[in-house]
Amino acid sequence: MLGIFALSLSSFQAYSISKIISFLYAYTFFGSLFILKNFKKGTDLKFPKKLEISKAEILFLFLFSCLTFYLYAEFPTKYLDGGRDQGLYAIFGVTISKTGGLNLEVPDTGLIRNIFGDSIRLDYPSISSPIEEGFSEPETFRAADFFHLFPVYLAIAYDLFGIEGIFRVNALFGTLSLCFFYLLSRRILGTWSSVFVVILYVFNSSQLWNVRATFSETLAQFLIILTGYLIQCFFRSQDRVSMFLIGIVLGLASFARVDSYILVIALASYSGFFLIYSEKYFVSSIYLFLSFFMMCILSAGYGLLYSKLYMFHLWKAGPLKLVGGLGLLSLLLIVFEIFLWQRCGSFLEKLKETFAKNKRFFRFSILAFIIALGLFAYFIRPLLTVYIPGVTKTKFIKPNSLPIFLWYVPVWLFIFLIFTFDRFLFRKKDISSAFIFFIGIFLLIAYLANPSINPDHFWASRRWMLFSIPFAILGSMIGIRSIQIRSRIWKLAFLILLGGSAFVYTIWRSKIILFQPMLQGYVEGYESFAKISPNENSFYFTTKRAISSPLRYIYGKNVFLINDSEGFLNKVPKLLELGKNVYIIQNGGFSGVKKNLKFTHISDLDLRGNFPIESVHRYPEFLYHKNLNLQFYRIEETKLPVLPEKIQFDWNPAQAGFLSNVGKIEEDGTISATRHQGSLVYGPYLTLPKGKYRIEFVGENLQKADFDVSYDKGSVSLSKLEKGDSENSKIVSFEIKNSIINDLEFRVFVEGKSGVKIKRIKLDRIL
């Protein structure tokens, strides 16, 4: 209720924390009046005479919930990168708080367009200009490529607790999910097995990572788990009104995530299951489907009104066409099911009889198909794409999705998931929990077939965290419990052995992030910069996508993204002539780049924090210092020609913005090769003017490494790939012929077990 009320206010540009607090007071007041009125009338409110769980379980759940909230809230990932989703959600939350709605206007659009033309971008990552797409909106208007339910919760947290509150919103949703996941699991498995399930769930590295960041999947996960538990509670009563309301609860997820629409096909299959297996529950499942479908239509209508550019992008790219097709297919399937139920009773009876007579055949056929599908996904599908250096991440993650999924759920646990099919489809146990089975299986298969994201480290698990990983943990434990072992002692020992080994595996996987906050210095870095950088009559320019939207929408800086550095610098004098203060934020100097422009170093924008190594082809084993070290320059015209100055850098690699895919970051800043092959060092995405340069790598075993210099995300080389020619030093010479180059990288490649270490990196302009 709170989220929908806040979303409604923000849609009408009327959000404010005072209205939210007033709503909470009114909701509490009228709710209390309703309860008192019913007590006075003597109405039987049907409070349960006995608690659902024992006092010991309540104590465990309370203490474990406190531990869970501590793990989620005390070690957040303070991600304020405007180029990725969690940073953008934070930006939108602050924007709603500050403006009362999603007002992303850029007032100086016309001025910048007239002066700089195509050399400046007028949009930001996932913050688009509708006029560029042909929509008739004011040129200052910007639109977000997101739905807004999750950002309104962030807005409330920002109003109450400031920027730090934003990073703790998901800790609340994650802790609530734990409570309902335990209650849900307990109805299927009993007490002890459910304790194993929630421990594996909470300490799972994917869960820890995603809940600690501002991802909308955590909210959607909570709604799915809550829906599963509510269906268990109301299932036996066949209360159709309750099922309709439960469908609305699940449908709220469609206001947070567009991919929630794909659940309609799972709910249609869920209804078909009851039509064949337990017809008396069929009508209730139809009510569930219809209310969820109605909510999806409402959210789509909301999107067309308030996120039409986002919907346009999704339609153009294809995902919205896919979910639209699935929605139509599911609706046709429901109509067909209702037709069979009303008009073809005899056909359904024959179908049931055929299934009952051939149950064994169907049982082994389906199980054999699932086993074959799993073997194909694990052993054969990865061979269909051979990794070549430079191949896109998507082309690796998609065929390797199952092996990567098993980073998070141990294989010896996952194989027991197959017995869950037998339990629900053929033995017809826990029919009230069939919703969990259908939603879980559908999301697991769908996101293994296509994870639909370009991953590195835990990004690979973002879609799986939604419900695939929790379901795999729960389903595996259900499968283990389903195995027929006569001796209770042996069965308990078997459960403890598998569950205990899975716990050890889970802790081992999550150890690098378990008690480690990420990017802890990012907020301080932004705030320090905001204090020393002027706002009045000031314009800021940068090529760094990551900082552009946070500086504009959170910290109020008039920032624009540079599309063409040389073209931009040529036109800066026109803006200076208007009496404007012009600043540029880059990594690197501008010595001699323009003889009529003087670049005065004012200060730095220094963003620091630990982060898992951004590997793609293996689970991250180490943390590195993710340091974005940028310099802040004032640009002024000068009548005296500016002569080139000396350019010289001496970097400690791990503390100067260099990254690694396969290296271990030592405490002294050294980057050491591990047993893996790949990029040992790359970065620091430097800006340099025209000239001849020499880069020297200092370290150990450098004769076993290859070196090069490139820019434009590694697509353009400034030096050929050179083999190391001595043990402790390697010098690479290169020339920049353009007036200026951005995002320059110095790269080191190693084979497995090379023993290479990079201790220092030195750069000099020699001419």
Side-chain angles (χ1 to χ4, degrees):
M1 288 293 293
L2 179 63
I4 290 299
F5 179 71
L7 180 64
S8 301
L9 290 177
S10 65
S11 300
F12 292 102
Q13 315 299 320
Y15 167 89
S16 70
I17 192 63
S18 60
K19 293 175 183 175
I20 297 297
I21 293 173
S22 299
F23 170 79
L24 289 175
Y25 276 126
Y27 188 81
T28 304
F29 176 74
F30 287 111
S32 301
L33 285 181
F34 174 79
I35 293 173
L36 290 172
K37 182 180 179 181
N38 279 279
F39 266 122
K40 287 181 179 180
K41 287 185 176 182
T43 304
D44 182 12
L45 295 177
K46 298 181 180 180
F47 289 113
K49 296 179 181 179
K50 185 178 179 181
L51 292 174
E52 180 179 350
I53 59 177
S54 67
K55 293 180 181 178
E57 287 179 272
I58 292 174
L59 180 61
F60 161 76
L61 194 56
F62 172 75
L63 294 177
F64 194 62
S65 296
C66 291
L67 172 63
T68 299
F69 187 79
Y70 169 76
L71 285 173
Y72 290 166
E74 186 63 21
F75 309 101
T77 299
K78 298 181 179 181
Y79 208 102
L80 289 180
D81 185 331
R84 288 198 166 176
D85 291 4
Q86 62 268 56
L88 291 162
Y89 280 125
I91 289 166
F92 299 155
V94 173
T95 300
I96 291 171
S97 169
K98 288 183 174 181
T99 68
L102 208 65
N103 300 306
L104 299 165
E105 280 77 9
V106 180
D108 293 300
T109 298
L111 174 65
I112 297 301
R113 185 197 302 276
N114 292 336
I115 292 177
F116 293 99
D118 294 337
S119 64
I120 293 296
R121 289 181 53 176
L122 295 172
D123 59 1
Y124 305 89
S126 294
I127 301 175
S128 305
S129 173
I131 197 170
E132 300 290 334
E133 302 283 358
F135 289 86
S136 57
E137 298 283 356
E139 68 172 357
T140 60
F141 182 78
R142 300 294 182 273
D145 277 356
F146 285 100
F147 274 4
H148 310 144
L149 179 59
F150 181 60
V152 299
Y153 286 108
L154 300 182
I156 295 170
Y158 181 76
D159 280 323
L160 295 175
F161 306 107
I163 193 71
E164 291 291 336
I166 281 179
F167 305 115
R168 273 79 177 183
V169 169
N170 274 340
L172 177 60
F173 286 125
T175 305
L176 291 173
S177 294
L178 155 72
C179 296
F180 287 109
F181 196 51
Y182 175 78
L183 296 173
L184 181 153
S185 303
R186 187 185 179 281
R187 286 174 172 255
I188 305 172
L189 294 171
T191 303
W192 289 108
S193 297
S194 298
V195 169
F196 272 114
V197 166
V198 296
I199 289 175
L200 295 178
Y201 162 73
V202 167
F203 286 95
N204 186 277
S205 58
S206 170
Q207 186 73 13
L208 286 169
W209 177 260
N210 288 288
V211 171
R212 289 172 174 179
T214 47
F215 282 123
S216 61
E217 278 86 353
T218 304
L219 172 59
Q221 183 196 78
F222 165 68
L223 292 171
I224 290 173
I225 291 173
L226 175 61
T227 299
Y229 174 68
L230 292 175
I231 288 175
Q232 286 180 330
C233 292
F234 291 94
F235 188 79
R236 299 296 177 187
S237 67
Q238 299 185 57
D239 185 346
R240 296 169 185 176
V241 174
S242 296
M243 291 295 280
F244 187 86
L245 294 175
I246 292 170
I248 291 176
V249 171
L250 181 62
L252 292 175
S254 67
F255 285 86
R257 300 194 52 78
V258 170
D259 60 357
S260 299
Y261 295 160
I262 66 174
L263 296 180
V264 291
I265 194 70
L267 292 180
S269 303
Y270 176 65
S271 297
F273 168 78
F274 286 119
L275 182 62
I276 297 174
Y277 283 95
S278 188
E279 196 174 320
K280 65 179 179 178
Y281 299 116
F282 173 67
V283 175
S284 296
S285 69
I286 292 295
Y287 274 79
L288 178 72
F289 172 88
L290 290 177
S291 59
F292 178 77
F293 195 84
M294 176 193 72
M295 291 295 287
C296 289
I297 292 174
L298 289 175
S299 73
Y302 171 87
L304 291 173
L305 286 173
Y306 299 105
S307 298
K308 59 185 176 183
L309 191 59
Y310 179 40
M311 302 293 275
F312 171 76
H313 288 159
L314 289 174
W315 183 265
K316 190 176 179 181
L320 198 58
K321 296 177 184 177
L322 175 62
V323 297
L326 289 175
L328 180 60
L329 177 63
S330 62
L331 190 60
L332 292 174
L333 183 58
I334 287 292
V335 171
F336 179 66
E337 290 170 4
I338 294 173
F339 174 78
L340 290 178
W341 177 60
Q342 291 186 334
R343 300 294 179 89
C344 302
S346 59
F347 173 77
L348 285 175
E349 290 301 321
K350 289 180 181 180
L351 188 63
K352 293 175 185 177
E353 289 176 10
T354 301
F355 184 82
K357 290 179 181 179
N358 299 280
K359 183 177 180 179
R360 187 170 183 177
F361 169 78
F362 286 116
R363 187 178 193 178
F364 284 102
S365 297
I366 291 176
L367 294 181
F369 173 75
I370 293 166
I371 292 172
L373 191 63
L375 293 173
F376 169 80
Y378 191 86
F379 292 105
I380 300 175
R381 194 182 182 205
L383 300 177
L384 301 180
T385 299
V386 178
Y387 170 63
I388 301 172
V391 73
T392 63
K393 297 172 183 179
T394 308
K395 289 183 180 178
F396 177 81
I397 185 63
K398 190 172 180 180
N400 289 276
S401 58
L402 182 56
I404 294 175
F405 184 83
L406 297 178
W407 290 353
Y408 306 100
V409 181
V411 63
W412 63 88
L413 206 65
F414 184 76
I415 58 177
F416 287 97
L417 187 61
I418 189 173
F419 295 103
T420 307
F421 285 82
D422 189 60
R423 183 183 182 98
F424 282 100
L425 295 181
F426 300 103
R427 294 166 62 188
K428 291 190 267 187
K429 288 192 175 183
D430 305 313
I431 197 170
S432 64
S433 303
F435 168 83
I436 293 298
F437 172 77
F438 276 91
I439 295 295
I441 286 297
F442 177 78
L443 289 177
L444 179 63
I445 293 175
Y447 284 134
L448 283 177
N450 184 11
S452 72
I453 197 166
N454 296 335
D456 49 56
H457 57 87
F458 301 110
W459 275 78
S461 73
R462 183 181 166 190
R463 300 288 188 255
W464 298 330
M465 173 264 183
L466 182 63
F467 194 60
S468 300
I469 290 174
F471 170 71
I473 294 171
L474 173 61
S476 298
M477 202 62 69
I478 292 171
I480 294 170
R481 287 291 303 271
S482 299
I483 297 173
Q484 300 298 316
I485 301 176
R486 293 183 180 181
S487 172
R488 292 185 62 185
I489 295 177
W490 281 105
K491 192 167 187 175
L492 179 61
F494 187 61
L495 176 65
I496 292 174
L497 175 64
L498 290 175
S501 59
F503 174 72
V504 172
Y505 178 88
T506 298
I507 295 298
W508 173 63
R509 282 302 197 192
S510 63
K511 64 181 179 179
I512 66 169
I513 65 169
L514 191 56
F515 299 111
Q516 176 66 60
M518 301 293 163
L519 305 179
Q520 56 269 41
Y522 266 47
V523 172
E524 291 82 356
Y526 275 119
E527 291 181 348
S528 297
F529 177 80
K531 290 177 182 178
I532 57 95
S533 53
N535 286 340
E536 188 177 355
N537 207 33
S538 297
F539 288 77
Y540 295 83
F541 299 89
T542 184
T543 61
K544 308 301 180 184
R545 291 161 51 90
I547 66 168
S548 57
S549 48
L551 285 177
R552 172 170 286 280
Y553 294 108
I554 296 180
Y555 298 101
K557 305 303 175 183
N558 199 11
V559 178
F560 293 91
L561 273 167
I562 298 172
N563 196 40
D564 173 9
S565 294
E566 187 171 0
F568 158 72
L569 292 174
N570 287 334
K571 297 173 183 177
V572 162
K574 293 184 180 179
L575 187 59
L576 292 171
E577 288 172 4
L578 299 177
K580 308 297 183 182
N581 300 317
V582 181
Y583 302 92
I584 191 166
I585 309 168
Q586 296 290 106
N587 181 16
F590 296 86
S591 173
V593 67
K594 290 290 178 183
K595 292 184 179 181
N596 64 328
L597 293 178
K598 181 173 71 172
F599 296 84
T600 304
H601 179 238
I602 305 297
S603 184
D604 296 327
L605 172 56
D606 194 5
L607 307 177
R608 293 178 175 268
N610 292 326
F611 208 68
I613 281 184
E614 296 168 295
S615 56
V616 178
H617 306 94
R618 60 191 57 85
Y619 189 87
E621 300 173 7
F622 312 106
L623 298 178
Y624 77 96
H625 309 294
K626 185 167 183 164
N627 302 331
L628 191 60
N629 307 319
L630 303 176
Q631 293 80 53
F632 169 40
Y633 298 90
R634 179 168 182 168
I635 307 178
E636 298 172 288
E637 274 196 292
T638 177
K639 295 181 180 179
L640 297 175
V642 177
L643 300 177
E645 299 174 355
K646 186 176 183 179
I647 294 179
Q648 188 175 59
F649 294 93
D650 186 352
W651 292 300
N652 180 313
Q655 298 175 358
F658 285 90
L659 310 177
S660 176
N661 280 334
V662 298
K664 181 179 180 181
I665 310 299
E666 309 291 353
E667 289 185 5
D668 62 357
T670 298
I671 300 180
S672 302
T674 58
R675 65 184 186 276
H676 302 299
Q677 172 188 7
S679 303
L680 178 62
V681 170
Y682 63 98
Y685 303 106
L686 194 66
T687 296
L688 286 179
K690 184 177 181 179
K692 293 184 178 181
Y693 295 84
R694 183 181 71 175
I695 181 82
E696 180 183 7
F697 300 87
V698 179
E700 297 178 11
N701 297 314
L702 301 188
Q703 76 278 9
K704 297 180 181 180
D706 296 307
F707 305 82
D708 80 347
V709 179
S710 67
Y711 68 98
D712 196 13
K713 298 180 180 179
S715 62
V716 182
S717 295
L718 292 179
S719 73
K720 64 180 182 179
L721 193 65
E722 298 182 18
K723 190 76 175 177
D725 46 24
S726 70
E727 182 177 351
N728 303 117
S729 177
K730 172 62 181 177
I731 295 174
V732 177
S733 298
F734 63 96
E735 182 179 2
I736 296 176
K737 296 181 179 180
N738 297 358
S739 174
I740 190 170
I741 281 181
N742 297 305
D743 295 333
L744 199 65
E745 294 183 71
F746 310 113
R747 304 188 297 182
V748 182
F749 301 95
V750 295
E751 299 293 332
K753 300 180 180 179
S754 63
V756 174
K757 289 186 179 180
I758 304 297
K759 297 180 178 180
R760 308 294 299 183
I761 300 175
K762 302 176 182 180
L763 175 71
D764 292 281
R765 181 162 67 178
I766 56 179
L767 187 63

